[in-house]
Amino acid sequence: MSLPESVFTDPPAAASGVFLDSAGSSLPPAAVLDTVHAHHRREAEIGGYRAAEERSADYAAARASVGRLIGAPSEAIAFTDSATRAWTQFFYSLPLAPGDRILLSGVEYASNAIAAIQRARQTGAAVEYIPADGHGQLDLEALERMLDDRVRVVSLVHVPTNGGLVNPVAEAAALARAHGAIVLLDACQSAGQVALDVDTLGVDALSVTGRKWLRGPRGTGFLYVRPSLVKELEPPVLDLHSAQWTAPLDYELAPDATRFELWEADVAARLGLGAAVGHLLGLGMTAVEEAVASGAAYLRALLSEIPGVTVQDRGERQCGIVTFTVDGHTPAEVKAALREQDITLVTSRRPSTLIDMTERGIEAMVRASPHYFVSRAQLETMARAVRALG
Ligand SMILES: *Cc1c(COP(=O)(O)O)cnc(C)c1O
């Protein structure tokens, strides 16, 4: 299976310069831009409420597409404005008591960890980190030893923000659920580059952002919650959309995952997210996953031939994120030098994944994340630019 040539010029800017930040904020394809722009124009003609009514079927279809991407029904999907909002709306709805344990991944994203620490302080629960194995992946044996009946929630990170490995989520989730823990998966860096199925992974909830590998608009994201679990959870923030005011002193929560949403939203952006997911499903996640993994493997091979360059990725199974350091140049210098040649990438710094980076003794790395629309020739251009740093 392969992708059509047209992906290399959609949007046209994908063909000029070298765009290597799809793990940060990717380039939306034309179909996404057109959807967003058309809806904004329509809002300016007839007002936001009428414009939304006109597109209500497409809005529902966007939710269904998002569900299809991860193997879930529409009712299990809540739209949010970011992955962090999705993760926290779920996490803060979990009842916790003194002595309860919260297990986080060693590569936990800072925003998740901060929320967990705050929640632990408020409830008397304890935060602990699951160690990594020799490959840098979740250590399944260590996880099994940590699990007991006080573990309420296990937070797994599918693909860390700071490296190209894919964690063994299905195996970890099975262990956690066997001990009665709720499993929350941060799929922010996997959705859109790795094929996902919530039942195969065996997770209770999953959070994703729109702007990264999905190539959706900024300010979008979604939360999946296993339908049989939804009714047990009361989100920390409610409004007249997530709940209905039924009596002077009562309300009723929405029966499905929309109880995790709020009423006001950027409808254009959500329609755009639906278009982004539709675009991906049209290409086929298997073909996308293959293209992304092979492009990143090619880039790692090019970089590892350059004297003074160390590829920092770990993991037995790798994906589209490529991290490296260059002797004699800080990651910020490498980023700046490449930016001058219209090569877009970022640095990944210790505070974003504090536990993992501290254990590995790394302050910062350069992070390149080529999506399927980046050609081999563009990757060679980037490698030449790194070599030329000397
Ligand atoms: C980017 C990222 C997030 C946060 O996503 P937002 O949409 O910015 O909230 C969470 N987890 C991981 C692993 C990320 O890379």
Side-chain angles (χ1 to χ4, degrees), residues 23-24 81-85 107-109 111-112 157 159-162 186-189 207-212 220-221 367:
D81 53 5
S82 71
T84 299
R85 190 82 71 186
V107 288
E108 199 71 48
Y109 190 71
S111 303
N112 301 352
V157 179
V159 171
T161 198
N162 67 330
D186 178 339
C188 211
Q189 292 294 1
S207 58
V208 174
T209 202
R211 72 180 183 277
K212 297 181 179 176
T220 59
R367 184 184 75 182

